[in-house]
Amino acid sequence: MRKIVTSLVAVAALGGSSFAADFLAPVKTKSDLSKLTASSVELKGLKFETVYLYPQTAVAGNDKESSAKFASAQALKADVAVLVNERDFSVVVKWKDSTNSLQTQKDIKSFGDGVALQIPQNCSDPAKLPYIGMGSEGRPVTIMLQKNTQGYYAPTVADLTDTQANNNLNLFNDELKKKQEKVAASATAKYQKVFVAEGFRSTTEVKEQTGYTMDMKYNKGSWTAVFTKKLKDDYSSLSSVAGKDAYPAYGNEAEPVKGAVASFCDAEPIALAIWDGGVDGRDGTKWLSSWTPIKMKDSEKSKKAILEISAKVKGNVANGKKLASENCVACHTIGSVKAPENMAPNLNNVGGYSTAAYLRDSIIAPNDVVVPGLNANRSPMQFYAVDGNGKRVSNMPSFEHLKPAEIDDLVAYLQTLKAGVKK
Amino acid sequence: MTMTAINTTSKRQLAMVMDLNKCIGCQTCTVACKTQWTNRNGREYMYWNNVETSPGEGYPRNWQNSGGGFDKDGNLKEGVIPDLEKGYGTPWDFNHDEMINAKEFKSKQAPIWGPNWDEDQGAGNFPSDNYFFYIPRLCNHCDNPGCLASCPRDAIFKRSQDGVVLVDLDRCQGYRFCIAGCPYKKIYFNPRVSKSEKCIFCFPRIEQGLPTACAQQCVGRIRFVGFLDDEEGQVHKLVKKYKVAIPLKPEAGTGANVYYVPPVDGPVKFDANGKPILGSNRIPPEHLEALFGPEVHAVVKTMRAEMENKKNGKGSEILDLLIAYKHSDMFRLDNDYYKAIANGNLRPIDERYTAGKFTSFKAVH
């Protein structure tokens, strides 16, 4: 662990520009953001803030080759900017990637580079945001995901009957040509999807994708990606008034909108995930940022929320480490101290993609967020037990018996658990 | 949306028994499956059912050592995704057009590997002790499927009505951890639709009372299909009552539901003078144990005793059963059961395969 702490100090020494931003400031524009692409002129001269993404190591996948390639992954630096107009909101992300990886139609082991934007559906309590890994039960998120793929054929339900259940096509000449054209036309040019989720097993695609646009472009060793969505949609609300575009007013102190799915927050948290096809990255083999607030409105409320979401806890890290070795490592892997497999999430990068509030909450009330692991039939050693109602209950006991100062120390230590930054 | 526990257990379980003593490696099952399901739309390289020569590297190449399944403690074991060309082998084209101009007939690209590439090679030295036998393989529709356990999307499900394991193609996002997770490498990635696909145990046939295509077409009549809990069924008798049918690679911990009657007696070995060594057996017990686990020795013993009984006129229900007189006895699919579930409906009894399991998401607030 000494190594990780040292590398952090090294990063700090690089100077201000390398520090992660506490919040992102949206840039107002009159441009039609729904037409924004990774090549748009609007991106020129835009001020970018730094967001760090850390290798997801809480739950490991079972692909031997990919795990080996990903094992020594360092943190990834991304430059992020936010644009808003009266209707839409765009997030622009730039990051370095030495390889332009494409998932092709001709290979079964090619994986495309990709990037995702995650938005909580409810951010009214910044201390109880969804779990960073695609939300958690009762705390849903909306995810916009784009990947670098060659066009592929997404079977619709009607096509399924055609391709799965029927026998060979008895078609020739013109008829066959027509059929082939129909099949070709059903190819999706790009992988751009919107999901809603309450934990990674529940991820569900939003098929009626209106008001979402995405684009990503590779140029000279780095990717630029844009995500645009309406400020308000069925799943999240970045605007304060229902039906109207209230953004220009910078949000009247919003009353919760009747019938609206989500609440408007003065500070709207977003999180990013980045995949590198070069390490066979997909799903959990990714880099993940912590929740990063966008200051949608300059208010006391937003100041408080930003403070909560970006908090660095002051505590005695050395004592926190000692407490962790006494209380945590029997179940959680930390550094090179390996806990039994599948006992609890690995904590090696937990400081990189968690808010202090989440860490604190996980110590005191482990049941608030139960991380969904793989291997659901595994018992009894699992992150959770399933109660009589089919609900997952964490197997971790509460550590609220620790003194408040000790919890501070522990959280301060856990915040140091993260990989160094890729140079 | 509620996060219910994964559907991993089933009320009833369909199973298949294959008598390897009768398999002649004709690949009729392979062709029956291929023409039915996998000759199109990105599945060209897949063989949901294949017959391979054992010992041999099989299909995909070296699948036996490609990881997946579970360790002793029930943890997922890491696995690899086979290479398309070197592992599965891509169907290659021939230069038919050039042949018209009297060019040499050859493949357009150099074939590297393919299903059945090492057919009939086997092991040992010809002619003294060389040996091989055939082993047809398909998805084992496991009790605790490695593919299901390693899917981060919960996109693989086990039907509660009959234990058939299917991929929910709506949920599948093509991450391919299932391929690493299957110790039999019987789930495949379709790059054209970017989804994983696998043997569906011919469920549309099964639900209409017909056996799987591979079983129906088997010329050696080696396959039995039925419910494990059907005590009158031959599958139950071979697996549960007489315990002469055992799963492949039981150490993988998945609880496979395709069972094999192991090859009992190969030809005898020859000595240096080319004379048969009476009482010898070319198939080493260790080889059988590597495939079927230590249980195999008891099975071989039982089968030998039964053969002896039959020879001596004492009769043997096991051998009579394995002769496979009637399809109606070999395939007991309990059509009344399916009809009752389907309630007169022709659609599949469980529509998750085509409709998607969680397609409607209701946000919780």
Side-chain angles (χ1 to χ4, degrees):
Chain A
M1 205 36 56
R2 180 175 294 272
K3 216 170 169 185
I4 290 177
V5 176
T6 323
S7 57
L8 270 177
V9 174
V11 169
L14 283 175
S17 66
S18 285
F19 278 115
D22 280 346
F23 64 90
L24 303 165
V27 177
K28 281 207 241 177
T29 175
K30 290 209 159 71
S31 306
D32 183 356
L33 291 176
S34 67
K35 296 201 169 71
L36 193 74
T37 70
S39 324
S40 293
V41 286
E42 282 87 347
L43 270 52
K44 293 224 170 80
L46 210 55
K47 189 176 172 286
F48 285 85
E49 298 282 2
T50 298
V51 172
Y52 286 107
L53 291 88
Y54 293 86
Q56 190 287 126
T57 47
V59 179
N62 63 325
D63 179 342
K64 193 176 177 184
E65 291 170 7
S66 168
S67 298
K69 289 179 193 171
F70 191 62
S72 55
Q74 290 179 296
L76 189 69
K77 178 177 174 278
D79 296 322
V80 184
V82 180
L83 290 159
V84 277
N85 65 14
E86 299 200 346
R87 188 189 60 190
D88 298 313
F89 133 103
S90 300
V91 174
V92 185
V93 190
K94 295 201 288 191
W95 73 99
K96 279 187 187 149
D97 185 344
S98 57
T99 50
N100 177 356
S101 311
L102 177 76
Q103 180 182 319
T104 72
Q105 262 195 41
K106 295 203 168 117
D107 189 5
I108 57 171
K109 285 181 90 168
S110 60
F111 298 91
D113 295 330
V115 57
L117 171 71
Q118 183 175 234
I119 301 166
Q121 289 181 16
N122 187 340
C123 52
S124 52
D125 184 353
K128 293 208 185 278
L129 293 175
Y131 178 58
I132 200 75
M134 296 195 193
S136 42
E137 199 173 345
R139 301 184 191 181
V141 293
T142 307
I143 294 156
M144 293 172 76
L145 168 64
Q146 49 183 328
K147 289 198 282 191
N148 190 28
T149 52
Q150 203 178 16
Y152 68 96
Y153 301 90
T156 63
V157 173
D159 278 343
L160 269 181
T161 2
D162 203 22
T163 56
Q164 310 271 343
N166 290 353
N167 277 338
N168 300 331
L169 297 168
N170 289 317
L171 298 175
F172 300 97
N173 301 327
D174 284 356
E175 273 182 307
L176 180 63
K177 214 176 141 193
K178 237 184 234 168
K179 172 73 184 174
Q180 284 167 340
E181 277 166 8
K182 196 183 149 200
V183 171
S186 72
T188 315
K190 284 170 182 164
Y191 185 109
Q192 294 174 338
K193 294 188 178 189
V194 179
F195 297 97
V196 284
E198 287 182 43
F200 64 66
R201 287 168 54 237
S202 69
T203 317
T204 300
E205 191 177 345
V206 179
K207 297 264 172 74
E208 63 292 358
Q209 287 182 30
T210 52
Y212 300 94
T213 54
M214 296 172 235
D215 187 36
M216 63 192 282
K217 189 182 141 197
Y218 188 80
N219 187 25
K220 291 177 190 156
S222 70
W223 280 104
T224 303
V226 296
F227 298 93
T228 302
K229 71 181 279 294
K230 285 187 179 149
L231 284 165
K232 182 183 281 298
D233 61 28
D234 287 351
Y235 299 105
S236 55
S237 174
L238 308 185
S239 171
S240 58
V241 174
K244 283 264 171 72
D245 300 316
Y247 188 76
Y250 249 171
N252 327 317
E253 192 59 42
E255 287 202 4
V257 181
K258 267 182 205 154
V261 176
S263 56
F264 166 71
C265 300
D266 291 8
E268 172 66 42
I270 59 162
L272 297 166
I274 288 174
W275 287 265
D276 179 5
V279 297
D280 299 354
R282 76 278 195 192
D283 187 60
T285 315
K286 66 182 169 192
W287 281 261
L288 190 59
S289 80
S290 182
W291 290 115
T292 307
I294 304 173
K295 196 195 253 180
M296 298 301 279
K297 185 179 163 186
D298 209 352
S299 66
E300 272 310 304
K301 219 169 142 189
S302 104
K303 254 184 223 158
K304 245 173 100 179
I306 289 167
L307 216 60
E308 178 77 70
I309 299 167
S310 304
K312 305 277 177 291
V313 170
K314 290 195 181 82
N316 183 339
V317 172
N319 189 45
K321 188 179 175 181
K322 186 173 155 275
L323 286 164
S325 69
E326 289 163 6
N327 294 292
C328 311
V329 297
C331 299
H332 292 278
T333 291
I334 299 180
S336 54
V337 185
K338 295 257 186 298
E341 203 180 327
N342 231 21
M343 191 84 164
N346 177 318
L347 296 183
N348 272 335
N349 281 288
V350 79
Y353 42 66
S354 308
T355 63
Y358 168 72
L359 294 172
R360 193 183 299 276
D361 194 47
S362 297
I363 295 166
I364 299 166
N367 249 333
D368 274 7
V369 170
V370 181
V371 177
L374 296 169
N375 200 357
N377 278 346
R378 176 90 174 85
S379 69
M381 220 189 274
Q382 225 342 328
F383 299 178
Y384 52 82
V386 180
D387 73 8
N389 301 321
K391 193 175 155 56
R392 290 181 169 194
V393 185
S394 177
N395 276 341
M396 176 174 156
S398 166
F399 283 78
E400 59 188 343
H401 57 270
L402 295 175
K403 291 182 199 115
E406 288 179 321
I407 291 174
D408 277 350
D409 294 350
L410 200 47
V411 172
Y413 168 65
L414 292 174
Q415 285 196 303
T416 67
L417 296 178
K418 49 189 178 184
V421 180
K422 198 174 172 182
K423 295 279 149 34
Chain B
M1 185 196 61
T2 48
M3 294 285 300
T4 46
I6 302 189
N7 231 340
T8 51
T9 50
S10 57
K11 283 179 253 159
R12 301 189 75 188
Q13 179 65 52
L14 269 177
M16 183 185 283
V17 170
M18 289 190 244
D19 182 0
L20 297 186
N21 296 284
K22 292 165 71 182
C23 181
I24 57 169
C26 66
Q27 306 283 359
T28 308
C29 50
T30 310
V31 174
C33 178
K34 183 128 227 40
T35 52
Q36 179 104 0
W37 303 116
T38 64
N39 61 357
R40 57 197 179 275
N41 299 339
R43 291 186 214 123
E44 290 82 354
Y45 83 91
M46 302 177 195
Y47 287 84
W48 291 355
N49 178 98
N50 73 297
V51 183
E52 57 197 48
T53 298
S54 182
E57 293 194 70
Y59 166 88
R61 187 175 199 171
N62 201 23
W63 64 267
Q64 301 95 321
N65 303 309
S66 298
F70 305 88
D71 65 15
K72 291 194 306 299
D73 301 322
N75 289 318
L76 279 169
K77 270 167 92 170
E78 285 193 321
V80 297
I81 300 168
D83 187 89
L84 181 57
E85 283 181 6
K86 293 180 204 134
Y88 296 102
T90 42
W92 55 85
D93 290 327
F94 290 91
N95 60 341
H96 293 105
D97 296 343
E98 292 170 23
M99 268 176 69
I100 298 167
N101 302 322
K103 288 266 169 60
E104 186 194 352
F105 182 55
K106 58 183 181 189
S107 61
K108 282 184 181 169
Q109 68 264 49
I112 307 167
W113 186 256
N116 220 21
W117 185 271
D118 53 359
E119 182 178 40
D120 292 3
Q121 282 180 9
N125 298 309
F126 179 81
S128 56
D129 63 357
N130 60 310
Y131 69 98
F132 68 81
F133 55 89
Y134 300 110
I135 177 162
R137 299 203 307 115
L138 65 155
C139 167
N140 287 292
H141 298 275
C142 303
D143 292 342
N144 181 22
C147 57
L148 186 152
S150 50
C151 177
R153 275 295 169 95
D154 200 3
I156 300 178
F157 62 100
K158 190 168 174 64
R159 297 212 302 195
S160 63
Q161 299 92 341
D162 56 11
V164 170
V165 177
L166 297 172
V167 179
D168 178 339
L169 292 177
D170 189 62
R171 292 195 57 71
C172 176
Q173 293 296 324
Y175 291 144
R176 296 164 249 182
F177 291 105
C178 53
I179 302 170
C182 175
Y184 305 101
K185 295 291 168 274
K186 273 293 171 190
I187 183 160
Y188 307 84
F189 180 66
N190 181 336
R192 273 188 79 186
V193 297
S194 192
K195 309 235 177 235
S196 288
E197 297 180 320
K198 61 180 283 298
C199 160
I200 57 175
F201 214 71
C202 287
F203 76 83
R205 292 174 56 93
I206 292 273
E207 289 177 18
Q208 301 304 319
L210 297 166
T212 59
C214 54
Q216 175 85 60
Q217 298 291 332
C218 179
V219 290
R221 297 168 81 90
I222 77 162
R223 300 196 189 214
F224 303 81
V225 184
F227 284 92
L228 270 182
D229 63 0
D230 174 10
E231 291 185 7
E232 298 300 308
Q234 301 192 331
V235 164
H236 174 90
K237 286 180 181 165
L238 292 166
V239 176
K240 302 279 184 193
K241 188 175 172 193
Y242 297 117
K243 298 186 168 47
V244 291
I246 48 179
L248 186 60
K249 277 175 86 76
E251 76 281 4
T254 59
N257 284 305
V258 171
Y259 298 83
Y260 296 90
V261 180
V264 177
D265 272 324
V268 293
K269 294 179 190 175
F270 296 157
D271 65 15
N273 302 318
K275 291 270 183 327
I277 305 169
L278 295 179
S280 65
N281 182 4
R282 289 180 180 230
I283 302 174
E286 313 82 69
H287 177 62
L288 292 180
E289 188 174 324
L291 284 174
F292 303 109
E295 288 284 296
V296 76
H297 305 304
V299 175
V300 170
K301 212 175 145 195
T302 309
M303 287 295 290
R304 287 217 175 107
E306 291 292 316
M307 287 160 89
E308 207 57 33
N309 284 347
K310 189 80 176 168
K311 261 191 242 167
N312 299 333
K314 285 185 194 161
S316 156
E317 199 196 346
I318 299 178
L319 291 194
D320 287 348
L321 207 149
L322 288 172
I323 286 170
Y325 286 112
K326 286 184 192 163
H327 268 176
S328 56
D329 292 334
M330 292 156 66
F331 311 136
R332 280 172 57 97
L333 293 161
D334 205 346
N335 197 224
D336 290 344
Y337 173 63
Y338 283 109
K339 270 188 190 153
I341 302 171
N343 205 6
N345 205 328
L346 267 178
R347 290 199 309 250
I349 55 163
D350 181 333
E351 292 185 30
R352 284 176 292 179
Y353 181 68
T354 48
K357 187 164 37 157
F358 287 131
T359 23
S360 63
F361 176 93
K362 265 164 75 192
V364 181
H365 293 286

